[in-house]
């Protein structure tokens, strides 16, 4: 119920209500991934909306804590590591530079679970840019282009409609475990 109310509040642009309702929803079910995803997105929006590390700090801490809880509850879920890495990346970009290493670790864990998830690869590329890791930037840029080509070819329509050809996975993208 709290989650549904949070989604209604989101539609109204009421961030404070979204945060309060997701907090209540997580108190009832602390491992529900979609609650953490909505919460992290709202918190990181708040980080971007306020100025100064002191004002951003509580939002960054809450986003990181929610992401961490999601990853602990769902260690084999790509989205749990994605949101934890995303929260750490946003806080790193907002001033807590030490969180960039955490972002890289969590995003790498997510990539290990889904190596062809394009938004994830792009987010990991942003982390490499933020840390100045030129070798990782080249690796990820190449992988992103290969995945884009693979997706375009794999989804090409034929007489049966769009078809994903898993046998044609790019060499740089290992099969998921």
């Amino acid at each position: 119920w709290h989650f549904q109310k949070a989604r209604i509040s989101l539609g109204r642009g009421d961030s404070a209500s979204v945060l309060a309702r997701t907090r209540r929803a997580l108190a009832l079910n602390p491992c529900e991934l979609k609650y953490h995803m909505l919460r992290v997105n709202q918190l990181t929006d708040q980080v971007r909306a306020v100025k100064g590390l002191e004002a951003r700090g509580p939002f960054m801490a809450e986003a990181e804590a929610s992401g961490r809880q999601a990853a602990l509850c769902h260690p084999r879920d790509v989205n749990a590591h994605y949101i934890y890495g995303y929260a750490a990346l946003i806080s790193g970009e907002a001033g807590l530079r030490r969180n960039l290493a955490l972002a890289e670790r969590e995003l790498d864990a997510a990539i290990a679970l889904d190596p062809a998830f394009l938004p994830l690869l792009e987010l990991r590329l942003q982390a490499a840019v933020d840390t100045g890791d030129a070798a990782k930037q080249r690796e990820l840029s190449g992988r992103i282009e290969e995945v884009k080509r693979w997706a375009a070819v794999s989804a090409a329509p034929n007489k049966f409609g769009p078809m994903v050809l898993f046998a044609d996975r790019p060499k740089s993208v290992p099969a998921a475990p």
Side-chain angles (χ1 to χ4, degrees), residues 1-4 7 21-40 65-67 69-74 77 79-80 83:
W1 185 79
H2 293 293
F3 181 70
Q4 295 307 326
R7 290 177 52 99
R21 290 182 184 282
T22 55
R23 183 179 301 117
R24 279 183 246 153
L26 284 165
L28 296 172
N29 188 353
C31 284
E32 180 56 54
L33 186 55
K34 65 184 172 186
Y35 300 173
H36 286 289
M37 292 172 74
L38 179 57
R39 186 161 183 77
V40 165
S66 191
Q69 181 65 34
L72 288 171
C73 288
H74 305 280
D77 191 302
N79 289 312
I83 64 166

PDB file of all heavy atoms in Angstrom, residues 1-4 7 21-40 65-67 69-74 77 79-80 83:
ATOM      1  N   TRP A   1       0.817  -1.182   0.000  1.00  0.00           N
ATOM      2  CA  TRP A   1       0.000   0.000   0.000  1.00  0.00           C
ATOM      3  C   TRP A   1       0.865   1.251   0.000  1.00  0.00           C
ATOM      4  O   TRP A   1       0.592   2.186  -0.737  1.00  0.00           O
ATOM      5  CB  TRP A   1      -0.951  -0.053   1.196  1.00  0.00           C
ATOM      6  CG  TRP A   1      -1.927   1.062   1.238  1.00  0.00           C
ATOM      7  CD1 TRP A   1      -3.074   1.175   0.522  1.00  0.00           C
ATOM      8  CD2 TRP A   1      -1.842   2.231   2.047  1.00  0.00           C
ATOM      9  NE1 TRP A   1      -3.714   2.335   0.824  1.00  0.00           N
ATOM     10  CE2 TRP A   1      -2.978   3.012   1.767  1.00  0.00           C
ATOM     11  CE3 TRP A   1      -0.945   2.696   2.951  1.00  0.00           C
ATOM     12  CZ2 TRP A   1      -3.218   4.223   2.385  1.00  0.00           C
ATOM     13  CZ3 TRP A   1      -1.173   3.913   3.569  1.00  0.00           C
ATOM     14  CH2 TRP A   1      -2.304   4.656   3.280  1.00  0.00           C
ATOM     15  N   HIS A   2       1.907   1.277   0.848  1.00  0.00           N
ATOM     16  CA  HIS A   2       2.786   2.448   0.896  1.00  0.00           C
ATOM     17  C   HIS A   2       3.497   2.662  -0.439  1.00  0.00           C
ATOM     18  O   HIS A   2       3.694   3.798  -0.861  1.00  0.00           O
ATOM     19  CB  HIS A   2       3.825   2.305   2.013  1.00  0.00           C
ATOM     20  CG  HIS A   2       3.230   2.344   3.379  1.00  0.00           C
ATOM     21  ND1 HIS A   2       2.647   3.460   3.911  1.00  0.00           N
ATOM     22  CD2 HIS A   2       3.109   1.385   4.323  1.00  0.00           C
ATOM     23  CE1 HIS A   2       2.196   3.209   5.122  1.00  0.00           C
ATOM     24  NE2 HIS A   2       2.466   1.946   5.392  1.00  0.00           N
ATOM     25  N   PHE A   3       3.876   1.547  -1.079  1.00  0.00           N
ATOM     26  CA  PHE A   3       4.556   1.671  -2.368  1.00  0.00           C
ATOM     27  C   PHE A   3       3.626   2.266  -3.418  1.00  0.00           C
ATOM     28  O   PHE A   3       4.039   3.130  -4.197  1.00  0.00           O
ATOM     29  CB  PHE A   3       5.096   0.314  -2.823  1.00  0.00           C
ATOM     30  CG  PHE A   3       5.838   0.379  -4.125  1.00  0.00           C
ATOM     31  CD1 PHE A   3       7.074   1.003  -4.206  1.00  0.00           C
ATOM     32  CD2 PHE A   3       5.303  -0.170  -5.280  1.00  0.00           C
ATOM     33  CE1 PHE A   3       7.769   1.083  -5.410  1.00  0.00           C
ATOM     34  CE2 PHE A   3       5.987  -0.104  -6.486  1.00  0.00           C
ATOM     35  CZ  PHE A   3       7.218   0.526  -6.546  1.00  0.00           C
ATOM     36  N   GLN A   4       2.376   1.825  -3.439  1.00  0.00           N
ATOM     37  CA  GLN A   4       1.415   2.375  -4.405  1.00  0.00           C
ATOM     38  C   GLN A   4       1.202   3.864  -4.155  1.00  0.00           C
ATOM     39  O   GLN A   4       1.143   4.661  -5.100  1.00  0.00           O
ATOM     40  CB  GLN A   4       0.083   1.618  -4.331  1.00  0.00           C
ATOM     41  CG  GLN A   4       0.183   0.165  -4.740  1.00  0.00           C
ATOM     42  CD  GLN A   4       0.818  -0.015  -6.109  1.00  0.00           C
ATOM     43  OE1 GLN A   4       0.656   0.795  -7.006  1.00  0.00           O
ATOM     44  NE2 GLN A   4       1.574  -1.096  -6.264  1.00  0.00           N
ATOM     45  N   ARG A   7       4.153   5.742  -5.493  1.00  0.00           N
ATOM     46  CA  ARG A   7       4.099   5.920  -6.945  1.00  0.00           C
ATOM     47  C   ARG A   7       3.131   7.041  -7.328  1.00  0.00           C
ATOM     48  O   ARG A   7       3.390   7.800  -8.258  1.00  0.00           O
ATOM     49  CB  ARG A   7       3.723   4.604  -7.622  1.00  0.00           C
ATOM     50  CG  ARG A   7       4.862   3.576  -7.528  1.00  0.00           C
ATOM     51  CD  ARG A   7       4.472   2.247  -8.125  1.00  0.00           C
ATOM     52  NE  ARG A   7       3.962   2.377  -9.458  1.00  0.00           N
ATOM     53  CZ  ARG A   7       4.669   2.168 -10.567  1.00  0.00           C
ATOM     54  NH1 ARG A   7       5.924   1.819 -10.489  1.00  0.00           N
ATOM     55  NH2 ARG A   7       4.108   2.288 -11.749  1.00  0.00           N
ATOM     56  N   ARG A  21       7.041   7.490   2.132  1.00  0.00           N
ATOM     57  CA  ARG A  21       6.279   6.256   1.885  1.00  0.00           C
ATOM     58  C   ARG A  21       7.190   5.068   1.553  1.00  0.00           C
ATOM     59  O   ARG A  21       6.901   3.950   1.949  1.00  0.00           O
ATOM     60  CB  ARG A  21       5.254   6.499   0.788  1.00  0.00           C
ATOM     61  CG  ARG A  21       4.141   7.426   1.262  1.00  0.00           C
ATOM     62  CD  ARG A  21       3.091   7.660   0.217  1.00  0.00           C
ATOM     63  NE  ARG A  21       2.096   8.608   0.635  1.00  0.00           N
ATOM     64  CZ  ARG A  21       1.089   8.366   1.470  1.00  0.00           C
ATOM     65  NH1 ARG A  21       0.967   7.180   2.010  1.00  0.00           N
ATOM     66  NH2 ARG A  21       0.217   9.301   1.765  1.00  0.00           N
ATOM     67  N   THR A  22       8.272   5.314   0.839  1.00  0.00           N
ATOM     68  CA  THR A  22       9.190   4.194   0.578  1.00  0.00           C
ATOM     69  C   THR A  22       9.895   3.780   1.868  1.00  0.00           C
ATOM     70  O   THR A  22      10.184   2.600   2.061  1.00  0.00           O
ATOM     71  CB  THR A  22      10.221   4.510  -0.526  1.00  0.00           C
ATOM     72  OG1 THR A  22      10.940   5.693  -0.200  1.00  0.00           O
ATOM     73  CG2 THR A  22       9.554   4.616  -1.887  1.00  0.00           C
ATOM     74  N   ARG A  23      10.154   4.728   2.757  1.00  0.00           N
ATOM     75  CA  ARG A  23      10.738   4.389   4.059  1.00  0.00           C
ATOM     76  C   ARG A  23       9.793   3.459   4.826  1.00  0.00           C
ATOM     77  O   ARG A  23      10.214   2.447   5.381  1.00  0.00           O
ATOM     78  CB  ARG A  23      11.029   5.648   4.872  1.00  0.00           C
ATOM     79  CG  ARG A  23      11.710   5.350   6.216  1.00  0.00           C
ATOM     80  CD  ARG A  23      12.025   6.606   7.029  1.00  0.00           C
ATOM     81  NE  ARG A  23      12.901   7.493   6.296  1.00  0.00           N
ATOM     82  CZ  ARG A  23      12.564   8.727   5.900  1.00  0.00           C
ATOM     83  NH1 ARG A  23      11.368   9.213   6.156  1.00  0.00           N
ATOM     84  NH2 ARG A  23      13.425   9.480   5.234  1.00  0.00           N
ATOM     85  N   ARG A  24       8.504   3.785   4.812  1.00  0.00           N
ATOM     86  CA  ARG A  24       7.513   2.932   5.503  1.00  0.00           C
ATOM     87  C   ARG A  24       7.383   1.567   4.826  1.00  0.00           C
ATOM     88  O   ARG A  24       7.285   0.549   5.500  1.00  0.00           O
ATOM     89  CB  ARG A  24       6.159   3.630   5.563  1.00  0.00           C
ATOM     90  CG  ARG A  24       6.114   4.638   6.690  1.00  0.00           C
ATOM     91  CD  ARG A  24       4.765   5.279   6.796  1.00  0.00           C
ATOM     92  NE  ARG A  24       5.072   6.646   6.440  1.00  0.00           N
ATOM     93  CZ  ARG A  24       4.272   7.539   5.902  1.00  0.00           C
ATOM     94  NH1 ARG A  24       3.081   7.299   5.678  1.00  0.00           N
ATOM     95  NH2 ARG A  24       4.659   8.729   5.609  1.00  0.00           N
ATOM     96  N   ALA A  25       7.385   1.569   3.508  1.00  0.00           N
ATOM     97  CA  ALA A  25       7.283   0.298   2.779  1.00  0.00           C
ATOM     98  C   ALA A  25       8.477  -0.592   3.086  1.00  0.00           C
ATOM     99  O   ALA A  25       8.327  -1.803   3.295  1.00  0.00           O
ATOM    100  CB  ALA A  25       7.179   0.560   1.277  1.00  0.00           C
ATOM    101  N   LEU A  26       9.671  -0.003   3.131  1.00  0.00           N
ATOM    102  CA  LEU A  26      10.871  -0.789   3.425  1.00  0.00           C
ATOM    103  C   LEU A  26      10.908  -1.251   4.878  1.00  0.00           C
ATOM    104  O   LEU A  26      11.506  -2.286   5.179  1.00  0.00           O
ATOM    105  CB  LEU A  26      12.130   0.004   3.074  1.00  0.00           C
ATOM    106  CG  LEU A  26      12.412   0.066   1.578  1.00  0.00           C
ATOM    107  CD1 LEU A  26      13.436   1.146   1.267  1.00  0.00           C
ATOM    108  CD2 LEU A  26      12.876  -1.288   1.072  1.00  0.00           C
ATOM    109  N   ALA A  27      10.278  -0.520   5.777  1.00  0.00           N
ATOM    110  CA  ALA A  27      10.192  -0.977   7.167  1.00  0.00           C
ATOM    111  C   ALA A  27       9.379  -2.266   7.248  1.00  0.00           C
ATOM    112  O   ALA A  27       9.671  -3.149   8.057  1.00  0.00           O
ATOM    113  CB  ALA A  27       9.577   0.107   8.048  1.00  0.00           C
ATOM    114  N   LEU A  28       8.392  -2.386   6.369  1.00  0.00           N
ATOM    115  CA  LEU A  28       7.559  -3.589   6.340  1.00  0.00           C
ATOM    116  C   LEU A  28       8.204  -4.725   5.551  1.00  0.00           C
ATOM    117  O   LEU A  28       8.007  -5.896   5.873  1.00  0.00           O
ATOM    118  CB  LEU A  28       6.191  -3.259   5.731  1.00  0.00           C
ATOM    119  CG  LEU A  28       5.341  -2.263   6.521  1.00  0.00           C
ATOM    120  CD1 LEU A  28       4.115  -1.866   5.718  1.00  0.00           C
ATOM    121  CD2 LEU A  28       4.949  -2.860   7.865  1.00  0.00           C
ATOM    122  N   ASN A  29       8.935  -4.379   4.515  1.00  0.00           N
ATOM    123  CA  ASN A  29       9.572  -5.389   3.667  1.00  0.00           C
ATOM    124  C   ASN A  29      10.936  -4.859   3.230  1.00  0.00           C
ATOM    125  O   ASN A  29      11.070  -4.302   2.142  1.00  0.00           O
ATOM    126  CB  ASN A  29       8.685  -5.697   2.454  1.00  0.00           C
ATOM    127  CG  ASN A  29       9.190  -6.869   1.654  1.00  0.00           C
ATOM    128  OD1 ASN A  29      10.280  -7.390   1.905  1.00  0.00           O
ATOM    129  ND2 ASN A  29       8.413  -7.289   0.672  1.00  0.00           N
ATOM    130  N   PRO A  30      11.960  -5.048   4.068  1.00  0.00           N
ATOM    131  CA  PRO A  30      13.260  -4.426   3.802  1.00  0.00           C
ATOM    132  C   PRO A  30      14.023  -4.997   2.614  1.00  0.00           C
ATOM    133  O   PRO A  30      15.038  -4.425   2.228  1.00  0.00           O
ATOM    134  CB  PRO A  30      14.035  -4.652   5.107  1.00  0.00           C
ATOM    135  CG  PRO A  30      13.342  -5.766   5.786  1.00  0.00           C
ATOM    136  CD  PRO A  30      11.915  -5.735   5.344  1.00  0.00           C
ATOM    137  N   CYS A  31      13.540  -6.065   2.032  1.00  0.00           N
ATOM    138  CA  CYS A  31      14.261  -6.652   0.890  1.00  0.00           C
ATOM    139  C   CYS A  31      13.518  -6.526  -0.431  1.00  0.00           C
ATOM    140  O   CYS A  31      13.908  -7.146  -1.422  1.00  0.00           O
ATOM    141  CB  CYS A  31      14.590  -8.126   1.180  1.00  0.00           C
ATOM    142  SG  CYS A  31      15.968  -8.309   2.333  1.00  0.00           S
ATOM    143  N   GLU A  32      12.474  -5.718  -0.494  1.00  0.00           N
ATOM    144  CA  GLU A  32      11.738  -5.565  -1.751  1.00  0.00           C
ATOM    145  C   GLU A  32      12.527  -4.645  -2.674  1.00  0.00           C
ATOM    146  O   GLU A  32      12.659  -3.445  -2.426  1.00  0.00           O
ATOM    147  CB  GLU A  32      10.344  -5.004  -1.501  1.00  0.00           C
ATOM    148  CG  GLU A  32       9.520  -4.825  -2.754  1.00  0.00           C
ATOM    149  CD  GLU A  32       9.372  -6.103  -3.570  1.00  0.00           C
ATOM    150  OE1 GLU A  32       8.936  -7.127  -3.007  1.00  0.00           O
ATOM    151  OE2 GLU A  32       9.716  -6.063  -4.782  1.00  0.00           O
ATOM    152  N   LEU A  33      13.048  -5.219  -3.740  1.00  0.00           N
ATOM    153  CA  LEU A  33      13.954  -4.504  -4.632  1.00  0.00           C
ATOM    154  C   LEU A  33      13.312  -3.283  -5.275  1.00  0.00           C
ATOM    155  O   LEU A  33      13.937  -2.227  -5.369  1.00  0.00           O
ATOM    156  CB  LEU A  33      14.504  -5.453  -5.696  1.00  0.00           C
ATOM    157  CG  LEU A  33      15.565  -4.894  -6.622  1.00  0.00           C
ATOM    158  CD1 LEU A  33      16.749  -4.326  -5.844  1.00  0.00           C
ATOM    159  CD2 LEU A  33      16.029  -5.971  -7.592  1.00  0.00           C
ATOM    160  N   LYS A  34      12.064  -3.372  -5.704  1.00  0.00           N
ATOM    161  CA  LYS A  34      11.448  -2.222  -6.373  1.00  0.00           C
ATOM    162  C   LYS A  34      11.293  -1.038  -5.414  1.00  0.00           C
ATOM    163  O   LYS A  34      11.351   0.108  -5.838  1.00  0.00           O
ATOM    164  CB  LYS A  34      10.121  -2.595  -7.033  1.00  0.00           C
ATOM    165  CG  LYS A  34       9.020  -2.999  -6.107  1.00  0.00           C
ATOM    166  CD  LYS A  34       7.792  -3.438  -6.889  1.00  0.00           C
ATOM    167  CE  LYS A  34       6.747  -4.026  -5.953  1.00  0.00           C
ATOM    168  NZ  LYS A  34       5.634  -4.575  -6.701  1.00  0.00           N
ATOM    169  N   TYR A  35      11.149  -1.288  -4.110  1.00  0.00           N
ATOM    170  CA  TYR A  35      11.091  -0.187  -3.147  1.00  0.00           C
ATOM    171  C   TYR A  35      12.447   0.518  -3.093  1.00  0.00           C
ATOM    172  O   TYR A  35      12.524   1.739  -3.069  1.00  0.00           O
ATOM    173  CB  TYR A  35      10.742  -0.684  -1.748  1.00  0.00           C
ATOM    174  CG  TYR A  35       9.430  -1.390  -1.581  1.00  0.00           C
ATOM    175  CD1 TYR A  35       9.101  -1.990  -0.370  1.00  0.00           C
ATOM    176  CD2 TYR A  35       8.497  -1.487  -2.609  1.00  0.00           C
ATOM    177  CE1 TYR A  35       7.906  -2.654  -0.183  1.00  0.00           C
ATOM    178  CE2 TYR A  35       7.297  -2.157  -2.432  1.00  0.00           C
ATOM    179  CZ  TYR A  35       7.003  -2.737  -1.208  1.00  0.00           C
ATOM    180  OH  TYR A  35       5.818  -3.399  -1.023  1.00  0.00           O
ATOM    181  N   HIS A  36      13.523  -0.288  -3.059  1.00  0.00           N
ATOM    182  CA  HIS A  36      14.867   0.289  -3.033  1.00  0.00           C
ATOM    183  C   HIS A  36      15.159   1.065  -4.313  1.00  0.00           C
ATOM    184  O   HIS A  36      15.767   2.134  -4.265  1.00  0.00           O
ATOM    185  CB  HIS A  36      15.921  -0.808  -2.839  1.00  0.00           C
ATOM    186  CG  HIS A  36      15.967  -1.354  -1.461  1.00  0.00           C
ATOM    187  ND1 HIS A  36      16.451  -0.639  -0.386  1.00  0.00           N
ATOM    188  CD2 HIS A  36      15.568  -2.551  -0.964  1.00  0.00           C
ATOM    189  CE1 HIS A  36      16.364  -1.375   0.698  1.00  0.00           C
ATOM    190  NE2 HIS A  36      15.835  -2.536   0.372  1.00  0.00           N
ATOM    191  N   MET A  37      14.717   0.538  -5.443  1.00  0.00           N
ATOM    192  CA  MET A  37      14.980   1.209  -6.715  1.00  0.00           C
ATOM    193  C   MET A  37      14.313   2.588  -6.745  1.00  0.00           C
ATOM    194  O   MET A  37      14.943   3.583  -7.127  1.00  0.00           O
ATOM    195  CB  MET A  37      14.520   0.333  -7.879  1.00  0.00           C
ATOM    196  CG  MET A  37      15.365  -0.917  -8.033  1.00  0.00           C
ATOM    197  SD  MET A  37      14.739  -2.088  -9.238  1.00  0.00           S
ATOM    198  CE  MET A  37      15.170  -1.235 -10.752  1.00  0.00           C
ATOM    199  N   LEU A  38      13.057   2.660  -6.353  1.00  0.00           N
ATOM    200  CA  LEU A  38      12.359   3.942  -6.332  1.00  0.00           C
ATOM    201  C   LEU A  38      13.012   4.891  -5.332  1.00  0.00           C
ATOM    202  O   LEU A  38      13.234   6.073  -5.626  1.00  0.00           O
ATOM    203  CB  LEU A  38      10.877   3.737  -5.991  1.00  0.00           C
ATOM    204  CG  LEU A  38      10.016   4.998  -5.919  1.00  0.00           C
ATOM    205  CD1 LEU A  38      10.063   5.778  -7.230  1.00  0.00           C
ATOM    206  CD2 LEU A  38       8.585   4.643  -5.556  1.00  0.00           C
ATOM    207  N   ARG A  39      13.358   4.360  -4.177  1.00  0.00           N
ATOM    208  CA  ARG A  39      13.971   5.201  -3.133  1.00  0.00           C
ATOM    209  C   ARG A  39      15.319   5.766  -3.588  1.00  0.00           C
ATOM    210  O   ARG A  39      15.586   6.955  -3.435  1.00  0.00           O
ATOM    211  CB  ARG A  39      14.115   4.406  -1.845  1.00  0.00           C
ATOM    212  CG  ARG A  39      14.594   5.244  -0.703  1.00  0.00           C
ATOM    213  CD  ARG A  39      14.306   4.583   0.629  1.00  0.00           C
ATOM    214  NE  ARG A  39      14.716   5.454   1.701  1.00  0.00           N
ATOM    215  CZ  ARG A  39      14.049   6.516   2.122  1.00  0.00           C
ATOM    216  NH1 ARG A  39      12.911   6.840   1.560  1.00  0.00           N
ATOM    217  NH2 ARG A  39      14.517   7.267   3.102  1.00  0.00           N
ATOM    218  N   VAL A  40      16.175   4.912  -4.134  1.00  0.00           N
ATOM    219  CA  VAL A  40      17.484   5.378  -4.594  1.00  0.00           C
ATOM    220  C   VAL A  40      17.315   6.434  -5.686  1.00  0.00           C
ATOM    221  O   VAL A  40      18.010   7.455  -5.675  1.00  0.00           O
ATOM    222  CB  VAL A  40      18.365   4.197  -5.067  1.00  0.00           C
ATOM    223  CG1 VAL A  40      19.569   4.684  -5.869  1.00  0.00           C
ATOM    224  CG2 VAL A  40      18.823   3.366  -3.877  1.00  0.00           C
ATOM    225  N   ALA A  65      22.832   3.546   1.653  1.00  0.00           N
ATOM    226  CA  ALA A  65      22.318   2.523   2.570  1.00  0.00           C
ATOM    227  C   ALA A  65      21.225   1.683   1.905  1.00  0.00           C
ATOM    228  O   ALA A  65      21.186   0.453   2.066  1.00  0.00           O
ATOM    229  CB  ALA A  65      21.783   3.174   3.847  1.00  0.00           C
ATOM    230  N   SER A  66      20.361   2.319   1.147  1.00  0.00           N
ATOM    231  CA  SER A  66      19.296   1.583   0.467  1.00  0.00           C
ATOM    232  C   SER A  66      19.876   0.671  -0.611  1.00  0.00           C
ATOM    233  O   SER A  66      19.477  -0.489  -0.747  1.00  0.00           O
ATOM    234  CB  SER A  66      18.285   2.563  -0.138  1.00  0.00           C
ATOM    235  OG  SER A  66      17.129   1.896  -0.588  1.00  0.00           O
ATOM    236  N   GLY A  67      20.828   1.185  -1.363  1.00  0.00           N
ATOM    237  CA  GLY A  67      21.492   0.363  -2.374  1.00  0.00           C
ATOM    238  C   GLY A  67      22.220  -0.815  -1.754  1.00  0.00           C
ATOM    239  O   GLY A  67      22.154  -1.946  -2.251  1.00  0.00           O
ATOM    240  N   GLN A  69      21.558  -2.305   1.108  1.00  0.00           N
ATOM    241  CA  GLN A  69      20.564  -3.275   1.583  1.00  0.00           C
ATOM    242  C   GLN A  69      20.014  -4.110   0.422  1.00  0.00           C
ATOM    243  O   GLN A  69      19.843  -5.319   0.542  1.00  0.00           O
ATOM    244  CB  GLN A  69      19.419  -2.565   2.305  1.00  0.00           C
ATOM    245  CG  GLN A  69      18.360  -3.493   2.855  1.00  0.00           C
ATOM    246  CD  GLN A  69      18.880  -4.399   3.959  1.00  0.00           C
ATOM    247  OE1 GLN A  69      19.743  -4.002   4.737  1.00  0.00           O
ATOM    248  NE2 GLN A  69      18.372  -5.610   4.034  1.00  0.00           N
ATOM    249  N   ALA A  70      19.767  -3.462  -0.698  1.00  0.00           N
ATOM    250  CA  ALA A  70      19.269  -4.191  -1.876  1.00  0.00           C
ATOM    251  C   ALA A  70      20.286  -5.236  -2.327  1.00  0.00           C
ATOM    252  O   ALA A  70      19.925  -6.387  -2.607  1.00  0.00           O
ATOM    253  CB  ALA A  70      18.974  -3.215  -3.017  1.00  0.00           C
ATOM    254  N   ALA A  71      21.568  -4.854  -2.385  1.00  0.00           N
ATOM    255  CA  ALA A  71      22.605  -5.793  -2.816  1.00  0.00           C
ATOM    256  C   ALA A  71      22.793  -6.926  -1.811  1.00  0.00           C
ATOM    257  O   ALA A  71      23.050  -8.067  -2.203  1.00  0.00           O
ATOM    258  CB  ALA A  71      23.918  -5.048  -3.049  1.00  0.00           C
ATOM    259  N   LEU A  72      22.652  -6.626  -0.522  1.00  0.00           N
ATOM    260  CA  LEU A  72      22.762  -7.682   0.489  1.00  0.00           C
ATOM    261  C   LEU A  72      21.589  -8.661   0.394  1.00  0.00           C
ATOM    262  O   LEU A  72      21.778  -9.871   0.538  1.00  0.00           O
ATOM    263  CB  LEU A  72      22.818  -7.074   1.894  1.00  0.00           C
ATOM    264  CG  LEU A  72      24.107  -6.362   2.260  1.00  0.00           C
ATOM    265  CD1 LEU A  72      23.962  -5.620   3.586  1.00  0.00           C
ATOM    266  CD2 LEU A  72      25.260  -7.355   2.327  1.00  0.00           C
ATOM    267  N   CYS A  73      20.417  -8.128   0.148  1.00  0.00           N
ATOM    268  CA  CYS A  73      19.225  -8.988   0.037  1.00  0.00           C
ATOM    269  C   CYS A  73      19.212  -9.791  -1.263  1.00  0.00           C
ATOM    270  O   CYS A  73      18.660 -10.886  -1.303  1.00  0.00           O
ATOM    271  CB  CYS A  73      17.959  -8.141   0.098  1.00  0.00           C
ATOM    272  SG  CYS A  73      17.585  -7.463   1.725  1.00  0.00           S
ATOM    273  N   HIS A  74      19.789  -9.226  -2.311  1.00  0.00           N
ATOM    274  CA  HIS A  74      19.728  -9.827  -3.646  1.00  0.00           C
ATOM    275  C   HIS A  74      21.120  -9.875  -4.283  1.00  0.00           C
ATOM    276  O   HIS A  74      21.368  -9.190  -5.287  1.00  0.00           O
ATOM    277  CB  HIS A  74      18.778  -9.030  -4.540  1.00  0.00           C
ATOM    278  CG  HIS A  74      17.410  -8.884  -3.971  1.00  0.00           C
ATOM    279  ND1 HIS A  74      16.470  -9.871  -4.049  1.00  0.00           N
ATOM    280  CD2 HIS A  74      16.835  -7.860  -3.275  1.00  0.00           C
ATOM    281  CE1 HIS A  74      15.359  -9.470  -3.440  1.00  0.00           C
ATOM    282  NE2 HIS A  74      15.557  -8.250  -2.959  1.00  0.00           N
ATOM    283  N   ASP A  77      21.301 -10.438  -8.133  1.00  0.00           N
ATOM    284  CA  ASP A  77      20.383  -9.650  -8.968  1.00  0.00           C
ATOM    285  C   ASP A  77      21.119  -8.453  -9.551  1.00  0.00           C
ATOM    286  O   ASP A  77      21.655  -7.619  -8.807  1.00  0.00           O
ATOM    287  CB  ASP A  77      19.181  -9.186  -8.151  1.00  0.00           C
ATOM    288  CG  ASP A  77      18.094  -8.595  -9.025  1.00  0.00           C
ATOM    289  OD1 ASP A  77      18.365  -7.615  -9.753  1.00  0.00           O
ATOM    290  OD2 ASP A  77      16.967  -9.112  -8.993  1.00  0.00           O
ATOM    291  N   ASN A  79      20.019  -5.773 -10.918  1.00  0.00           N
ATOM    292  CA  ASN A  79      19.447  -4.474 -10.569  1.00  0.00           C
ATOM    293  C   ASN A  79      19.844  -4.015  -9.171  1.00  0.00           C
ATOM    294  O   ASN A  79      19.990  -2.824  -8.927  1.00  0.00           O
ATOM    295  CB  ASN A  79      17.926  -4.504 -10.713  1.00  0.00           C
ATOM    296  CG  ASN A  79      17.524  -4.557 -12.157  1.00  0.00           C
ATOM    297  OD1 ASN A  79      18.006  -3.795 -12.978  1.00  0.00           O
ATOM    298  ND2 ASN A  79      16.651  -5.493 -12.494  1.00  0.00           N
ATOM    299  N   ALA A  80      20.026  -4.952  -8.254  1.00  0.00           N
ATOM    300  CA  ALA A  80      20.451  -4.593  -6.900  1.00  0.00           C
ATOM    301  C   ALA A  80      21.849  -3.981  -6.927  1.00  0.00           C
ATOM    302  O   ALA A  80      22.095  -2.937  -6.310  1.00  0.00           O
ATOM    303  CB  ALA A  80      20.408  -5.823  -5.996  1.00  0.00           C
ATOM    304  N   ILE A  83      21.751  -0.441  -8.754  1.00  0.00           N
ATOM    305  CA  ILE A  83      21.310   0.726  -7.987  1.00  0.00           C
ATOM    306  C   ILE A  83      22.302   1.082  -6.882  1.00  0.00           C
ATOM    307  O   ILE A  83      22.464   2.262  -6.563  1.00  0.00           O
ATOM    308  CB  ILE A  83      19.871   0.602  -7.445  1.00  0.00           C
ATOM    309  CG1 ILE A  83      19.733  -0.532  -6.447  1.00  0.00           C
ATOM    310  CG2 ILE A  83      18.878   0.484  -8.565  1.00  0.00           C
ATOM    311  CD1 ILE A  83      18.443  -0.471  -5.645  1.00  0.00           C
TER     312      ILE A  83
END
